[in-house]
């Protein structure tokens, strides 16, 4: 499978890689031109047998009189030559359609592989790769197509093509069956939904010389588009049909002759039948090709015989006339005759008689259906050869069968030509994505499926995103534990489409991995590089997947797929690049979670939701999917993909919220444990950690999460919810401190509670700001040795304790590495604010110690005071009313930056023009900056110096026109010539800024406010949780007394090695039995929730309408069947009447005896051939004798 993929990619790049976009087409695609004039005896020497006039031939073609005289028959291969094509590009049907269709003039000897790549390459025509090809043969010229055949094409073929993703091949002309197919495609496109996954692809393959107005398509440089004018569209003609997506105009050098495309069309069908279905040929079967015969002339027998010898099945539409009726008659009425031996067999006399009898019977029927044919021997031989391959032919009585089941007919036709019908039928159903056929025909209980039969189809369904089949296979016994190995998981990741975001991320990780291998194994550098250059899609082990997940998940969990040592060794990594490894046969420990990650990384919504349903740990899995999708949406550049990722992420967050709500209503104690339980599947992460990392505000607004966080706000030590509630069940094994007396325990609970720490920090922070302000305003001493003073030294010590607390939060908190903790610390906005405040304080402290920079240091400390004061906003995040307002202010600041961009552009434009108009010459930089930027900014707030700007007003400032004085710093005088323009610019500037831009800013603020206020409760609860977690980990004392707590913690953690109790308050390890019980309980809650959701969905109006529509379709189907039964009953009544009359006649004849003649002649058959049955003739002759 992977070899097919890489082969297609390399071939496409070789053929289409160089030159301009379409400049390569004339270099590899040729046309045919008649090179030898062969006189047509019926045209008085004016026309060649190719169909073109003598004057239309080149001088070389008509100059060879000797060759012209001796040649009797014109052949395309011998009497025509190839030249670069001059007709390709897009065609626009003027007056008929606005849609452009692709077209290409090509020689009949063109390689089908080149043409197929042109059809399917995204950079050229970009037609979707087919899951089925139906080649409609016959019904050409001006054959009158019957009404029921039109219905079969419209309701059967086109509808089945849409549901299976098929191509329909016809001549593509406005005549016969080609016109009917075009009309059916048009009607389907008008009635089908615009969001239909599969579009009907109709491809016309017609002879170039037969197309009318073909000169309108000729352009050696290509036509984009070519204007094609169609006349007499109401009648059959040889114009191109505008309902086709593409046209292959096959050129054999002839003009006005049919059949020139037959050989190329057969070779193209054979080539397509050897290609794989799916993305880049990733499917499990070759593309099925089916030829459909409608009517047809006698010369079509040759085409059909060659196709059958290539094992391409045929569907013969009986009753459509012509060759189809002849073949259906032969196949149905001669089915009991012995098979005809192939030529070259022995002359066994015993076999010769029945062979001659079969040949005579075929010849008799051929004369009956084609009485005008004279040379019948060769045609009869071809018919006998077709009869030998009758197992590849299916006769379809479309006049008596419903066209709605035509897709099932196609499936049965294709399966009937295979050796293993059930498996092949399943593969076809998967390829066509027809789960309804699979359920009714294959998984109805009659077939006992084995694991080996479903394995390839399961892979095909996964790769090509067919979740309904995945669900069907799982329901019918496919063991996912046995199916999903590391090797098959790598196969799934290798099938990622090129150009997708996941593919780019995997390629980046693969390049980094190769660089690592080259550093450790220089001798293998050339081998590994050449391997990846040849086919970099082959090397995609789970190591790259693990790195991608680590990139997206960050530090919230441990890396995935790192359990086995082969992933750590660079030497073994180089072996992975070279071929198969033993680990690829090992089963994945968590198959559903692995498939869930695979589906989420590719943004496959329905598949991801199904795998989420099947995987355990529903809440954590939903939050994990939310986290991954939101990170992917930040990396993706396509708007639609980004939007779909955000929608799916929100859907998973809603599921996590709803599932946990069900759990909380069922059992509060277990729901608390569920929040903080470490998950072995998700890298020992917890629901709370994943929710914070995924920014799942809706999840944290859940009552259960808030109750858990508020409980931790007012309790401490060993009174956290897990330790309190799970103590009786003994399911958890956290560290528990030794028992203390009751009074000590209560005091410990109060003193170490997060609320105590929060209130103490708020109080001391206010004191810190007051003390900082006192130092800046009243006690800021000169540089040493005069300063700093005692109060200033206390301030420095206070800030030092704040720095110690930030260091503790950064490095000495949690169980992660210090690098992971620092990355997590720096992500928080308020931590960045703390770092900014500390950095400014250190700069100010250093500068104030020196005389030269003393004032600059004081300035830095003043700015630092503003930053410390703004940091106070974070404390009010816990307030229900002020918390959302803080979010609003933060988002409005972002809006201001966009506003300042527009304002800056307009302000600079006005400021420069205004300054240049008022003052002809003023080189002073200080005045230029103030008057170009500062003064226009003050205009917005109404500070307009009218006396300076309007020369009509008196200006009491001394000025000069002397350039020397102006350069020395004197005030220049105003310019009077262009003052009228200054006033106009001022009016326009104020109009734009005060009315347009200010109102724009107000509108942006209003939108932000309404958007946040709508979800204010969600924002506030999320902020409150983050604040609770922050103060839960803080020591009880606030700065500057917090230094005592730091000393105590250093002694306990570093010297005495006493583990922290607070770590277990939000993280909990469970014993395996307890973890299994908790997972089972969570799964039950998930199933109950999904069952309730399904009931609600089934009771919705849309689902009721769907069920009603299905019932109406069933009633209509039963009515049509009842009509068929009625027709059959009438026919049976006629037969019974005939038999009754015939029996009465026999009885009367026998009763009269041999001496009397019958009283009346035998009865005539009603609606049948007037001929007595053989048995009645025999009885009558026997009686007379």
């Amino acid at each position: 499978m992977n070899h097919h993929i890489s082969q297609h990619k390399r071939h496409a790049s070789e053929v289409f890689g160089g030159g301009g976009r379409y400049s390569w087409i004339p270099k590899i695609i040729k046309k045919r031109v008649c090179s030898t004039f062969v006189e047509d005896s019926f045209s008085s020497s004016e026309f060649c047998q190719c169909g073109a006039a003598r004057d239309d031939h080149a001088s070389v073609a008509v100059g060879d009189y000797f060759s012209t005289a001796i040649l009797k028959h014109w052949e395309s291969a011998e009497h025509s030559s190839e030249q670069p094509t001059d007709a390709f590009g897009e065609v626009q049907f003027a007056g008929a359609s606005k849609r452009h269709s692709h077209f290409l003039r090509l020689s009949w000897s063109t390689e089908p592989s080149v043409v197929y790549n042109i059809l399917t390459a995204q950079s050229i025509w970009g037609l979707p790769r087919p899951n089925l090809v139906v080649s409609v043969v016959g019904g050409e010229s001006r054959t009158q197509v019957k009404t029921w055949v039109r219905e079969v094409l419209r309701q059967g073929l086109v509808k089945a093509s849409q549901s299976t993703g098929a191509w329909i091949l016809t001549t593509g002309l406005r005549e016969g069956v080609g016109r009917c197919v075009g009309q059916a495609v048009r009607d389907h496109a008008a009635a089908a939904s615009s969001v239909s996954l599969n579009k009907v692809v109709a491809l016309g393959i017609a002879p170039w010389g037969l197309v009318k107005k073909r000169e309108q398509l000729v352009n050696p440089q290509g036509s984009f588009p070519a204007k094609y004018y169609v006349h007499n569209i109401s009648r059959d003609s040889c114009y191109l049909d505008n309902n086709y997506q593409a046209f292959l105009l096959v050129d054999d050098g002839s003009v006005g002759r049919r059949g020139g495309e037959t050989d190329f069309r057969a070779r193209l069908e054979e080539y397509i039948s050897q290609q794989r279905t799916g993305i880049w040929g990733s499917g499990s079967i070759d593309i099925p090709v089916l030829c459909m015969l409608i009517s047809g002339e006698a010369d079509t027998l040759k085409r059909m015989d060659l196709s059958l010898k290539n094992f391409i099945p045929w569907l013969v539409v009986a009753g459509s006339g012509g060759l189809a009726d002849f073949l259906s008659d032969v196949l149905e009425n001669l089915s009991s005759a012995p098979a005809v031996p192939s030529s070259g067999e022995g002359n066994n006399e015993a076999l010769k008689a029945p062979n001659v009898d079969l040949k005579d019977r075929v010849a008799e029927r051929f004369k009956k259906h084609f009485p005008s044919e004279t040379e019948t021997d060769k045609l009869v031989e071809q018919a006998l050869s077709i009869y030998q391959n009758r197992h590849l032919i299916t006769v379809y009585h479309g006049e008596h069968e419903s066209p709605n089941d035509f897709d099932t007919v196609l499936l049965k036709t294709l399966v009937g030509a295979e050796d293993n019908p059930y498996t092949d039928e399943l593969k076809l159903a998967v390829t066509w994505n027809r789960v309804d056929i699979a359920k009714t025909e294959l998984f109805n209980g009659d077939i006992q499926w084995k694991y080996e039969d479903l394995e390839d189809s399961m892979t095909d369904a996964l790769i090509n995103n067919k979740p309904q089949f995945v669900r069907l296979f799982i329901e019918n016994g496919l063991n996912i534990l046995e199916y999903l190995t590391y090797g098959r998981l790598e196969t799934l990741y290798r099938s990622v489409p090129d150009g997708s975001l996941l593919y780019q991320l995997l390629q980046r990780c693969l390049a980094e991995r190769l660089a690592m291998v080259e550093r450790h194994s220089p001798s293998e550098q050339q081998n590994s590089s050449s391997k990846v250059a040849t086919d970099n899609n082959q090397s995609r082990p789970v190591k790259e997947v693990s790195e991608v997940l680590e990139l997206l998940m960050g530090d919230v969990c441990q890396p995935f797929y790192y359990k086995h040592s082969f992933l750590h060794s660079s030497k073994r990594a180089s072996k992975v690049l070279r071929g198969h490894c033993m680990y690829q046969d090992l089963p994945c420990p968590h198959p559903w979670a692995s498939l869930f990650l695979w589906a989420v990384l590719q943004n496959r919504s329905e598949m991801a939701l199904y795998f989420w349903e099947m995987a355990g740990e529903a809440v954590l899995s939903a939050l994990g999917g939310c986290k991954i999708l939101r990170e992917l949406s930040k990396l993706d550049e396509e708007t639609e993909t980004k939007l779909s990722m955000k929608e799916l992420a929100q859907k998973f967050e809603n599921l996590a919220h709803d599932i946990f709500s069900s759990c909380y209503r069922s059992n509060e104690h277990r729901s608390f444990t569920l929040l903080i339980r470490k998950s072995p599947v998700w890298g020992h992460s917890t629901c709370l950690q994943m929710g914070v990392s995924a920014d799942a505000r809706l999840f944290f607004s859940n009552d259960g999460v808030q109750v858990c966080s508020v409980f931790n706000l007012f309790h401490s030590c060993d009174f956290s919810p897990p330790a309190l509630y799970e103590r009786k069940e003994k399911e958890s094994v956290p560290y528990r401190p030794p028992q203390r007396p009751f009074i000590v325990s209560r005091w410990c609970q109060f003193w170490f509670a997060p609320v105590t720490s929060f209130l103490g920090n708020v109080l001391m922070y206010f004191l810190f700001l007051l003390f900082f302000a006192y130092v800046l305003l009243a006690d800021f001493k000169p540089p040493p040795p005069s300063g700093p003073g005692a109060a200033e030294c206390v301030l420095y010590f206070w800030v030092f304790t704040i720095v110690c607390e930030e260091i503790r939060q950064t490095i000495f908190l949690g169980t992660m590495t210090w690098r992971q903790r620092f990355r997590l610390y720096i992500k928080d906005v308020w931590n960045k604010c703390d770092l900014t405040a500390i950095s400014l304080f250190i700069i100010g402290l250093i500068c104030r110690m020196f005389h030269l920079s003393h004032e600059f240091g004081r300035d830095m400390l003043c700015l630092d005071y503003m930053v410390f004061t703004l940091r106070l906003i974070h404390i009010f995040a816990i307030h229900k009313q002020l918390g959302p307002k803080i979010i609003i202010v933060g988002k409005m600041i972002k809006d201001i930056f966009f506003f300042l961009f527009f304002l800056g552009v307009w302000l600079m434009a006005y400021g420069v023009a205004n300054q240049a108009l008022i003052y002809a010459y003023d080189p002073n930089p200080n005045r230029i900056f103030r008057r170009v930027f500062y003064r226009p900014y003050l205009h917005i707030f109404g500070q307009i110096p009218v006396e300076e700007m309007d020369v009509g007003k008196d200006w009491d400032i001394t000025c000069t026109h002397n350039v020397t004085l102006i350069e020395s710093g004197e005030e220049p005088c105003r310019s009077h010539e262009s003052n009228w323009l200054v006033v106009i610019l001022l009016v326009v500037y104020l109009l734009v800024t005060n009315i347009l831009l200010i109102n724009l800013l107000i509108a942006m603020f209003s939108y932000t406010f309404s958007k946040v206020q709508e979800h204010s409760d969600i924002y506030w609860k999320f902020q409150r949780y983050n604040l609770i977690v922050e103060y839960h980990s803080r020591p009880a004392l606030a700065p500057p007394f917090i230094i005592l707590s730091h000393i105590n913690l250093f002694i306990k953690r570093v010297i005495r090695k006493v583990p922290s109790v607070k770590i277990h308050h939000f993280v909990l390890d469970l014993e395996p039995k307890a973890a299994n019980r908790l997972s089972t309980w969570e799964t039950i809650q998930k199933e109950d929730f999904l069952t309730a959701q399904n009931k609600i969905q089934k009771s919705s109006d849309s689902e009721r309408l769907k069920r009603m529509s299905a019932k109406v379709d069933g009633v209509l189907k039963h009515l049509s069947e009842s009509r068929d039964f009625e027709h059959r009953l009438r026919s049976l009544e006629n037969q019974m009447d005939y038999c009754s009359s015939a029996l009465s006649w026999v009885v009367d004849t026998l009763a009269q005896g041999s001496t009397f003649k019958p009283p009346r002649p035998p009865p005539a058959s009603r609606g049948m051939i007037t001929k007595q049955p053989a048995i009645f003739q025999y009885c009558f002759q026997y009686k007379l004798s």
Side-chain angles (χ1 to χ4, degrees), residues 493-604:
Y493 278 103
R494 290 190 191 105
S495 66
V496 174
D498 295 358
S500 63
L501 178 60
L502 178 58
Y503 179 83
Q504 296 172 5
L505 294 175
L506 290 172
Q507 287 296 97
R508 185 197 307 172
C509 295
L510 178 61
E512 296 175 355
R513 187 171 179 223
L514 288 176
M516 180 190 68
V517 173
E518 292 171 4
R519 287 195 300 268
H520 288 81
S521 304
S523 60
E524 299 178 0
Q525 176 177 355
Q526 184 177 359
N527 295 334
S528 61
S529 301
S530 61
K531 173 66 178 177
V532 176
T534 303
D535 189 4
N536 56 13
N537 204 32
Q538 293 290 334
S539 300
R540 191 75 45 73
V542 293
K543 170 68 175 178
E544 282 75 58
V545 181
S546 175
E547 293 177 354
V548 171
L549 290 173
E550 185 177 2
L551 174 66
L552 297 175
M553 301 296 289
D555 304 324
V556 69
C557 60
Q558 298 178 4
F560 291 83
Y561 308 123
Y562 264 63
K563 181 179 179 181
H564 301 282
S565 60
F566 64 83
L567 294 176
H568 294 281
S569 174
S570 60
K571 293 183 178 180
R572 295 188 181 183
S574 62
K575 294 181 180 179
V576 173
L577 295 175
R578 291 198 299 267
H580 183 80
C581 291
M582 294 299 295
Y583 79 92
Q584 294 178 340
D585 298 328
L586 298 176
C588 285
H590 307 288
W592 289 118
S594 299
L595 290 175
F596 173 72
L597 289 172
W598 172 77
V600 167
L601 287 171
Q602 297 189 81
N603 192 27
R604 295 183 173 182

Side-chain angles (χ1 to χ4, degrees), residues 757-758 760-769 794-795 797-806 809 868 1031 1034-1046:
S757 176
F758 173 74
N761 276 271
V762 171
L763 178 61
M764 296 306 297
Y765 199 80
F766 273 107
L767 293 177
F768 167 73
L769 293 178
V794 173
L795 177 65
F797 176 76
W798 203 324
V799 174
F800 171 73
T801 59
I802 295 176
V803 172
C804 291
E805 174 60 20
E806 296 300 322
Q809 294 181 20
F868 272 116
Y1031 281 95
R1034 281 198 174 192
L1037 295 175
F1041 307 108
I1042 198 173
I1043 191 66
L1044 301 177
S1045 298
H1046 290 163

Side-chain angles (χ1 to χ4, degrees), residues 767-952:
L767 293 177
F768 167 73
L769 293 178
L770 293 175
F771 190 71
F772 198 171
Y774 167 76
V775 171
L776 288 177
L777 297 176
D779 195 15
F780 195 80
K781 302 296 183 180
S786 301
E792 196 171 348
C793 292
V794 173
L795 177 65
Y796 297 158
F797 176 76
W798 203 324
V799 174
F800 171 73
T801 59
I802 295 176
V803 172
C804 291
E805 174 60 20
E806 296 300 322
I807 294 175
R808 186 197 65 83
Q809 294 181 20
T810 307
I811 302 177
F812 300 102
L813 183 64
T815 58
M816 296 181 292
T817 63
W818 69 270
R819 291 183 179 179
Q820 293 175 336
R821 288 195 292 267
F822 181 77
R823 285 199 297 264
L824 187 63
Y825 172 86
I826 204 67
K827 288 180 181 179
D828 188 77
V829 177
W830 296 109
N831 289 335
K832 295 177 182 178
C833 183
D834 291 336
L835 291 178
T836 304
I838 293 172
S839 301
L840 289 175
F841 191 88
I842 294 174
I843 295 173
L845 173 61
I846 295 173
C847 293
R848 67 95 55 223
M849 294 297 177
F850 303 97
H851 290 278
L852 294 177
S853 58
H854 177 265
E855 290 300 326
F856 178 76
R858 188 176 184 277
D859 296 340
M860 289 295 102
L861 291 175
C862 292
L863 292 177
D864 189 43
Y865 180 81
M866 293 181 59
V867 178
F868 272 116
T869 306
L870 292 176
R871 182 66 173 83
L872 190 64
I873 297 176
H874 179 51
I875 297 176
F876 298 101
I878 200 170
H879 196 273
K880 188 172 184 179
Q881 300 300 327
L882 293 179
K885 303 303 185 293
I886 296 174
I887 299 293
I888 294 173
V889 171
K891 291 185 177 295
M892 285 182 175
I893 291 176
K894 297 180 182 179
D895 295 337
I896 287 178
F897 282 109
F898 291 105
F899 168 77
L900 289 178
F901 170 76
F902 294 107
L903 180 62
V905 172
W906 182 237
L907 187 145
M908 183 175 180
Y910 168 75
V912 173
N914 182 71
Q915 174 69 8
L917 290 172
I918 295 178
Y919 300 100
Y921 180 71
D922 185 8
N924 190 295
N926 187 28
R927 286 197 296 261
I928 289 177
F929 178 78
R930 289 177 178 273
R931 291 171 178 175
V932 170
F933 295 101
Y934 182 59
R935 185 172 61 186
Y937 178 72
L938 294 178
H939 289 354
I940 301 175
F941 305 99
Q943 298 184 15
I944 304 173
V946 181
E947 295 81 4
E948 180 183 356
M949 302 182 64
D950 189 357
V951 295

Side-chain angles (χ1 to χ4, degrees), residues 1047-1066:
I1047 295 173
N1048 181 39
L1049 288 175
F1050 180 80
I1051 295 173
K1052 292 174 81 173
R1053 304 291 179 261
V1054 179
I1055 299 177
R1056 298 176 57 190
K1057 304 296 183 182
V1058 178
S1060 174
V1061 178
K1062 290 188 176 181
I1063 293 177
H1064 301 284
H1065 290 184
F1066 289 95

Side-chain angles (χ1 to χ4, degrees), residues 1136-1156:
M1136 292 297 295
D1137 291 342
Y1138 169 74
C1139 291
S1140 177
S1141 301
L1143 289 175
S1144 298
W1145 176 78
V1146 169
V1147 171
D1148 293 342
T1149 303
L1150 293 176
Q1152 294 294 331
S1154 60
T1155 57
F1156 298 97

Side-chain angles (χ1 to χ4, degrees), residues 134 137 181 188 224 249 313 380 429 469 475 480 511-512 521 602 691-692 734 884 949 995 1032 1097 1127 1136 1179:
V134 180
V137 181
V181 171
H188 179 271
F224 302 97
L249 307 178
V380 170
F469 272 101
E475 292 174 352
I480 196 66
E512 296 175 355
S521 304
Q602 297 189 81
V692 172
M949 302 182 64
I995 297 178
H1032 179 272
Q1097 185 178 2
H1127 177 76
M1136 292 297 295
C1179 293

Side-chain angles (χ1 to χ4, degrees), residues 221-402:
Q221 285 74 38
S223 302
F224 302 97
K227 298 288 185 179
Y228 189 74
Y229 295 91
V230 181
H231 303 285
N232 298 326
I233 60 175
S234 60
R235 297 185 301 173
D236 285 355
S237 57
C238 290
Y239 289 100
L240 296 179
D241 196 319
N242 62 288
N243 298 305
Y244 285 73
Q245 277 80 359
F247 298 94
L248 296 176
L249 307 178
V250 184
D251 191 2
D252 64 345
S254 65
V255 177
R257 292 174 48 178
R258 297 183 181 272
E261 84 289 358
T262 302
D263 179 68
F264 171 79
R265 183 171 172 179
R267 290 189 294 113
L268 179 63
E269 293 167 359
E270 182 183 2
Y271 176 81
I272 294 177
S273 67
Q274 298 171 358
Q275 308 307 305
R276 287 276 181 173
T277 58
I279 303 172
W280 286 106
S282 59
S284 59
I285 61 171
D286 294 334
I287 298 175
V289 177
L290 171 69
C291 294
M292 181 178 177
L293 179 61
I294 299 177
S295 186
E297 302 296 334
D299 54 2
T300 311
L301 286 170
K302 180 180 178 182
R303 156 91 163 86
M304 187 173 181
D305 186 26
L306 293 175
S307 181
L308 288 172
K309 289 178 179 178
N310 292 327
F311 303 101
I312 294 179
W314 280 70
L315 179 66
V316 177
V317 182
S320 58
L323 182 61
D325 289 353
F326 163 69
L327 290 176
S328 62
D329 184 14
V330 170
L331 294 172
E332 291 180 342
N333 295 327
L334 301 182
S335 59
S336 59
V340 182
S342 59
S343 59
E345 285 189 334
N347 297 327
N348 192 335
E349 295 299 331
L351 297 176
K352 188 178 296 184
N355 294 342
V356 173
D357 179 63
L358 177 61
K359 184 176 181 180
D360 293 340
R361 294 166 67 183
V362 171
E364 179 184 357
R365 281 171 168 77
F366 188 84
K367 285 286 187 181
K368 175 183 176 181
H369 289 276
F370 299 99
S372 60
E373 291 288 341
T374 55
E375 300 178 359
T376 60
D377 294 340
K378 186 176 181 179
L379 297 174
V380 170
E381 290 293 336
Q382 292 173 353
L384 291 173
S385 178
I386 291 172
Y387 184 78
Q388 281 184 316
N389 296 311
R390 58 186 179 274
H391 64 282
L392 297 174
I393 305 175
T394 301
V395 179
Y396 173 64
H397 297 274
E399 188 174 7
H400 306 295
E401 298 183 20
S402 174

